[in-house]
Short mmCIF file of all heavy atoms in Angstrom, two decimals:
data_model
loop_
_atom_site.label_atom_id
_atom_site.label_comp_id
_atom_site.label_asym_id
_atom_site.label_seq_id
_atom_site.Cartn_x
_atom_site.Cartn_y
_atom_site.Cartn_z
N LEU A 1 172.25 140.15 120.85
CA LEU A 1 173.19 140.15 119.73
C LEU A 1 173.92 141.49 119.72
O LEU A 1 173.29 142.54 119.64
CB LEU A 1 172.46 139.95 118.40
CG LEU A 1 173.32 139.96 117.14
CD1 LEU A 1 174.27 138.76 117.12
CD2 LEU A 1 172.44 139.94 115.89
N ASN A 2 175.24 141.43 119.84
CA ASN A 2 176.08 142.63 119.71
C ASN A 2 176.70 142.61 118.32
O ASN A 2 177.18 141.56 117.87
CB ASN A 2 177.19 142.64 120.77
CG ASN A 2 176.63 142.85 122.15
OD1 ASN A 2 175.84 143.76 122.38
ND2 ASN A 2 177.02 142.00 123.07
N ILE A 3 176.70 143.77 117.68
CA ILE A 3 177.27 143.91 116.34
C ILE A 3 178.27 145.05 116.37
O ILE A 3 177.96 146.14 116.85
CB ILE A 3 176.17 144.23 115.30
CG1 ILE A 3 175.10 143.13 115.30
CG2 ILE A 3 176.78 144.42 113.92
CD1 ILE A 3 173.88 143.47 114.45
N VAL A 4 179.47 144.79 115.87
CA VAL A 4 180.50 145.83 115.74
C VAL A 4 180.97 145.82 114.30
O VAL A 4 181.42 144.79 113.79
CB VAL A 4 181.69 145.57 116.69
CG1 VAL A 4 182.78 146.62 116.50
CG2 VAL A 4 181.23 145.53 118.14
N VAL A 5 180.86 146.99 113.64
CA VAL A 5 181.33 147.11 112.26
C VAL A 5 182.59 147.96 112.28
O VAL A 5 182.60 149.07 112.83
CB VAL A 5 180.25 147.74 111.35
CG1 VAL A 5 180.80 147.96 109.95
CG2 VAL A 5 179.01 146.85 111.31
N SER A 6 183.65 147.44 111.69
CA SER A 6 184.92 148.15 111.60
C SER A 6 185.49 147.92 110.20
O SER A 6 185.90 146.81 109.88
CB SER A 6 185.88 147.63 112.67
OG SER A 6 187.13 148.27 112.56
N GLY A 7 185.48 148.96 109.41
CA GLY A 7 185.97 148.83 108.04
C GLY A 7 185.09 147.85 107.27
O GLY A 7 183.88 148.00 107.20
N ALA A 8 185.72 146.82 106.71
CA ALA A 8 185.00 145.81 105.93
C ALA A 8 184.65 144.59 106.76
O ALA A 8 184.24 143.57 106.22
CB ALA A 8 185.84 145.40 104.72
N GLU A 9 184.81 144.68 108.09
CA GLU A 9 184.56 143.53 108.95
C GLU A 9 183.39 143.79 109.89
O GLU A 9 183.18 144.90 110.37
CB GLU A 9 185.81 143.19 109.75
CG GLU A 9 186.92 142.70 108.84
CD GLU A 9 188.21 142.47 109.58
OE1 GLU A 9 188.45 143.11 110.61
OE2 GLU A 9 188.99 141.64 109.11
N ILE A 10 182.68 142.73 110.16
CA ILE A 10 181.55 142.77 111.08
C ILE A 10 181.81 141.73 112.16
O ILE A 10 182.01 140.55 111.85
CB ILE A 10 180.22 142.44 110.37
CG1 ILE A 10 179.99 143.38 109.19
CG2 ILE A 10 179.06 142.48 111.35
CD1 ILE A 10 178.89 142.93 108.25
N GLY A 11 181.79 142.15 113.41
CA GLY A 11 181.90 141.22 114.53
C GLY A 11 180.52 141.04 115.14
O GLY A 11 179.80 142.01 115.36
N LEU A 12 180.14 139.81 115.37
CA LEU A 12 178.85 139.49 115.99
C LEU A 12 179.10 138.67 117.25
O LEU A 12 179.95 137.78 117.25
CB LEU A 12 177.97 138.67 115.05
CG LEU A 12 177.61 139.28 113.69
CD1 LEU A 12 176.98 138.23 112.80
CD2 LEU A 12 176.68 140.45 113.89
N SER A 13 178.34 138.96 118.29
CA SER A 13 178.41 138.20 119.52
C SER A 13 176.98 137.89 119.95
O SER A 13 176.19 138.80 120.21
CB SER A 13 179.13 139.02 120.59
OG SER A 13 179.17 138.31 121.80
N LEU A 14 176.63 136.61 119.99
CA LEU A 14 175.27 136.15 120.26
C LEU A 14 175.22 135.39 121.58
O LEU A 14 176.08 134.55 121.85
CB LEU A 14 174.80 135.22 119.13
CG LEU A 14 173.44 134.55 119.30
CD1 LEU A 14 172.32 135.58 119.17
CD2 LEU A 14 173.27 133.45 118.26
N SER A 15 174.21 135.68 122.40
CA SER A 15 173.92 134.92 123.62
C SER A 15 172.45 134.57 123.61
O SER A 15 171.60 135.45 123.49
CB SER A 15 174.23 135.74 124.88
OG SER A 15 175.59 136.02 124.97
N VAL A 16 172.15 133.27 123.74
CA VAL A 16 170.75 132.83 123.70
C VAL A 16 170.55 131.70 124.71
O VAL A 16 171.37 130.78 124.79
CB VAL A 16 170.35 132.39 122.27
CG1 VAL A 16 171.23 131.29 121.74
CG2 VAL A 16 168.90 132.00 122.18
N PRO A 17 169.48 131.76 125.50
CA PRO A 17 169.22 130.67 126.45
C PRO A 17 169.11 129.33 125.72
O PRO A 17 168.48 129.24 124.66
CB PRO A 17 167.88 131.05 127.09
CG PRO A 17 167.78 132.53 126.91
CD PRO A 17 168.45 132.82 125.59
N SER A 18 169.71 128.31 126.28
CA SER A 18 169.67 127.00 125.62
C SER A 18 168.23 126.48 125.50
O SER A 18 167.93 125.72 124.59
CB SER A 18 170.56 126.00 126.33
OG SER A 18 170.12 125.78 127.65
N MET A 19 167.35 126.90 126.39
CA MET A 19 165.94 126.50 126.30
C MET A 19 165.36 126.90 124.93
O MET A 19 164.59 126.15 124.34
CB MET A 19 165.13 127.17 127.43
CG MET A 19 163.65 126.86 127.38
SD MET A 19 163.27 125.12 127.65
CE MET A 19 163.37 125.06 129.42
N ASP A 20 165.74 128.07 124.43
CA ASP A 20 165.23 128.56 123.15
C ASP A 20 165.78 127.78 121.97
O ASP A 20 165.17 127.74 120.91
CB ASP A 20 165.56 130.04 122.97
CG ASP A 20 164.91 130.92 124.01
OD1 ASP A 20 164.10 130.43 124.81
OD2 ASP A 20 165.24 132.12 124.02
N VAL A 21 166.94 127.17 122.16
CA VAL A 21 167.62 126.49 121.05
C VAL A 21 167.36 124.99 121.04
O VAL A 21 167.03 124.41 120.01
CB VAL A 21 169.14 126.80 121.10
CG1 VAL A 21 169.89 126.05 120.01
CG2 VAL A 21 169.39 128.30 120.99
N VAL A 22 167.51 124.34 122.21
CA VAL A 22 167.37 122.88 122.27
C VAL A 22 166.19 122.41 123.10
O VAL A 22 165.90 121.23 123.16
CB VAL A 22 168.67 122.20 122.78
CG1 VAL A 22 169.80 122.38 121.77
CG2 VAL A 22 169.05 122.70 124.15
N GLY A 23 165.52 123.36 123.80
CA GLY A 23 164.33 122.99 124.56
C GLY A 23 164.56 122.56 125.99
O GLY A 23 163.65 122.12 126.67
N PHE A 24 165.81 122.69 126.49
CA PHE A 24 166.09 122.36 127.88
C PHE A 24 167.30 123.14 128.35
O PHE A 24 168.09 123.62 127.54
CB PHE A 24 166.31 120.86 128.09
CG PHE A 24 167.42 120.26 127.27
CD1 PHE A 24 168.74 120.28 127.72
CD2 PHE A 24 167.14 119.66 126.04
CE1 PHE A 24 169.75 119.73 126.97
CE2 PHE A 24 168.16 119.10 125.28
CZ PHE A 24 169.47 119.13 125.74
N GLU A 25 167.43 123.27 129.68
CA GLU A 25 168.56 123.97 130.29
C GLU A 25 169.28 123.10 131.32
O GLU A 25 170.05 123.61 132.10
CB GLU A 25 168.10 125.27 130.95
CG GLU A 25 167.75 126.33 129.96
CD GLU A 25 167.65 127.69 130.61
OE1 GLU A 25 167.06 127.79 131.70
OE2 GLU A 25 168.18 128.63 130.04
N ARG A 26 169.02 121.85 131.33
CA ARG A 26 169.69 120.93 132.24
C ARG A 26 170.84 120.28 131.48
O ARG A 26 170.92 120.37 130.26
CB ARG A 26 168.69 119.87 132.69
CG ARG A 26 168.10 119.13 131.49
CD ARG A 26 167.21 118.01 131.88
NE ARG A 26 166.36 117.60 130.80
CZ ARG A 26 166.76 117.12 129.63
NH1 ARG A 26 168.03 117.01 129.35
NH2 ARG A 26 165.89 116.76 128.71
N PRO A 27 171.73 119.63 132.19
CA PRO A 27 172.76 118.88 131.48
C PRO A 27 172.12 117.84 130.56
O PRO A 27 171.06 117.28 130.89
CB PRO A 27 173.55 118.21 132.60
CG PRO A 27 173.34 119.09 133.79
CD PRO A 27 171.92 119.58 133.64
N ALA A 28 172.74 117.61 129.42
CA ALA A 28 172.24 116.61 128.48
C ALA A 28 172.12 115.27 129.20
O ALA A 28 173.08 114.78 129.81
CB ALA A 28 173.17 116.50 127.29
N ALA A 29 170.93 114.68 129.15
CA ALA A 29 170.65 113.46 129.91
C ALA A 29 170.98 112.19 129.14
O ALA A 29 171.21 111.15 129.74
CB ALA A 29 169.18 113.44 130.33
N ASP A 30 170.99 112.28 127.80
CA ASP A 30 171.19 111.06 127.03
C ASP A 30 171.72 111.42 125.64
O ASP A 30 171.98 112.59 125.34
CB ASP A 30 169.87 110.28 126.92
CG ASP A 30 168.71 111.09 126.39
OD1 ASP A 30 168.93 112.03 125.57
OD2 ASP A 30 167.56 110.83 126.79
N ASP A 31 171.86 110.41 124.80
CA ASP A 31 172.40 110.63 123.46
C ASP A 31 171.51 111.55 122.62
O ASP A 31 172.02 112.33 121.81
CB ASP A 31 172.60 109.29 122.73
CG ASP A 31 173.78 108.51 123.29
OD1 ASP A 31 174.62 109.10 124.01
OD2 ASP A 31 173.87 107.29 123.01
N ASP A 32 170.19 111.47 122.80
CA ASP A 32 169.29 112.35 122.06
C ASP A 32 169.55 113.82 122.43
O ASP A 32 169.59 114.68 121.55
CB ASP A 32 167.83 111.99 122.32
CG ASP A 32 167.42 110.67 121.68
OD1 ASP A 32 168.12 110.22 120.74
OD2 ASP A 32 166.41 110.09 122.13
N ASP A 33 169.71 114.10 123.71
CA ASP A 33 170.01 115.46 124.16
C ASP A 33 171.35 115.93 123.60
O ASP A 33 171.48 117.06 123.11
CB ASP A 33 170.06 115.55 125.68
CG ASP A 33 168.69 115.49 126.34
OD1 ASP A 33 167.66 115.48 125.61
OD2 ASP A 33 168.65 115.44 127.58
N ARG A 34 172.36 115.06 123.65
CA ARG A 34 173.68 115.43 123.14
C ARG A 34 173.62 115.68 121.64
O ARG A 34 174.29 116.58 121.13
CB ARG A 34 174.71 114.35 123.50
CG ARG A 34 175.09 114.39 124.98
CD ARG A 34 176.20 113.41 125.33
NE ARG A 34 175.73 112.03 125.46
CZ ARG A 34 175.09 111.55 126.52
NH1 ARG A 34 174.84 112.32 127.55
NH2 ARG A 34 174.71 110.29 126.56
N ALA A 35 172.79 114.93 120.93
CA ALA A 35 172.63 115.15 119.49
C ALA A 35 171.98 116.51 119.22
O ALA A 35 172.40 117.23 118.31
CB ALA A 35 171.79 114.03 118.86
N LEU A 36 170.98 116.88 120.03
CA LEU A 36 170.35 118.20 119.89
C LEU A 36 171.36 119.32 120.09
O LEU A 36 171.37 120.32 119.36
CB LEU A 36 169.19 118.35 120.87
CG LEU A 36 167.92 117.55 120.57
CD1 LEU A 36 166.94 117.67 121.74
CD2 LEU A 36 167.28 118.02 119.27
N VAL A 37 172.22 119.17 121.10
CA VAL A 37 173.25 120.17 121.37
C VAL A 37 174.22 120.25 120.19
O VAL A 37 174.57 121.34 119.73
CB VAL A 37 173.98 119.86 122.69
CG1 VAL A 37 175.21 120.75 122.85
CG2 VAL A 37 173.04 120.05 123.88
N ALA A 38 174.66 119.11 119.67
CA ALA A 38 175.60 119.09 118.55
C ALA A 38 175.00 119.74 117.30
O ALA A 38 175.67 120.51 116.61
CB ALA A 38 176.04 117.66 118.25
N ILE A 39 173.74 119.46 117.02
CA ILE A 39 173.06 120.06 115.87
C ILE A 39 172.95 121.57 116.05
O ILE A 39 173.18 122.34 115.12
CB ILE A 39 171.67 119.41 115.64
CG1 ILE A 39 171.84 117.98 115.16
CG2 ILE A 39 170.84 120.23 114.66
CD1 ILE A 39 170.57 117.14 115.21
N ALA A 40 172.60 122.00 117.26
CA ALA A 40 172.48 123.43 117.54
C ALA A 40 173.81 124.14 117.34
O ALA A 40 173.87 125.21 116.72
CB ALA A 40 171.96 123.65 118.95
N ILE A 41 174.90 123.54 117.84
CA ILE A 41 176.22 124.15 117.67
C ILE A 41 176.57 124.23 116.19
O ILE A 41 177.09 125.24 115.71
CB ILE A 41 177.28 123.40 118.49
CG1 ILE A 41 177.07 123.67 119.98
CG2 ILE A 41 178.70 123.80 118.06
CD1 ILE A 41 177.95 122.87 120.92
N SER A 42 176.26 123.19 115.45
CA SER A 42 176.52 123.20 114.01
C SER A 42 175.73 124.31 113.32
O SER A 42 176.28 125.08 112.53
CB SER A 42 176.16 121.83 113.41
OG SER A 42 176.31 121.87 112.01
N ASP A 43 174.44 124.42 113.64
CA ASP A 43 173.61 125.47 113.02
C ASP A 43 174.07 126.86 113.43
O ASP A 43 174.12 127.77 112.59
CB ASP A 43 172.14 125.28 113.42
CG ASP A 43 171.50 124.07 112.76
OD1 ASP A 43 172.11 123.47 111.84
OD2 ASP A 43 170.38 123.71 113.18
N LEU A 44 174.41 127.04 114.69
CA LEU A 44 174.86 128.34 115.17
C LEU A 44 176.24 128.71 114.63
O LEU A 44 176.64 129.87 114.68
CB LEU A 44 174.87 128.38 116.70
CG LEU A 44 173.50 128.45 117.36
CD1 LEU A 44 173.59 128.11 118.85
CD2 LEU A 44 172.87 129.81 117.15
N SER A 45 176.97 127.75 114.09
CA SER A 45 178.30 128.00 113.53
C SER A 45 178.24 128.51 112.10
O SER A 45 179.28 128.70 111.46
CB SER A 45 179.15 126.73 113.60
OG SER A 45 179.38 126.38 114.95
N LYS A 46 177.04 128.75 111.59
CA LYS A 46 176.85 129.24 110.21
C LYS A 46 176.12 130.59 110.28
O LYS A 46 174.94 130.68 109.95
CB LYS A 46 176.04 128.23 109.41
CG LYS A 46 176.71 126.86 109.34
CD LYS A 46 175.77 125.84 108.76
CE LYS A 46 176.36 124.45 108.95
NZ LYS A 46 175.35 123.41 108.86
#
């Protein structure tokens, strides 16, 4: 996680292995995998 504070703004840049977030690092194999990826992106967007 990189954090840059400038004035009243904070910039964050996060990099995390997909294994830690969705439990796999291979291409999504099915709808369940794609749902896990979509939920992770939604959660990480907050």
Side-chain angles (χ1 to χ4, degrees):
L1 179 66
N2 291 311
I3 302 171
V4 177
V5 175
S6 177
E9 294 175 333
I10 303 166
L12 301 169
S13 178
L14 175 70
S15 295
V16 58
S18 62
M19 178 65 80
D20 297 353
V21 177
V22 293
F24 57 86
E25 287 195 317
R26 58 175 162 61
D30 54 31
D31 287 344
D32 289 340
D33 286 355
R34 286 185 281 283
L36 288 173
V37 170
I39 290 167
I41 289 173
S42 176
D43 289 350
L44 287 165
S45 295
K46 301 170 191 160

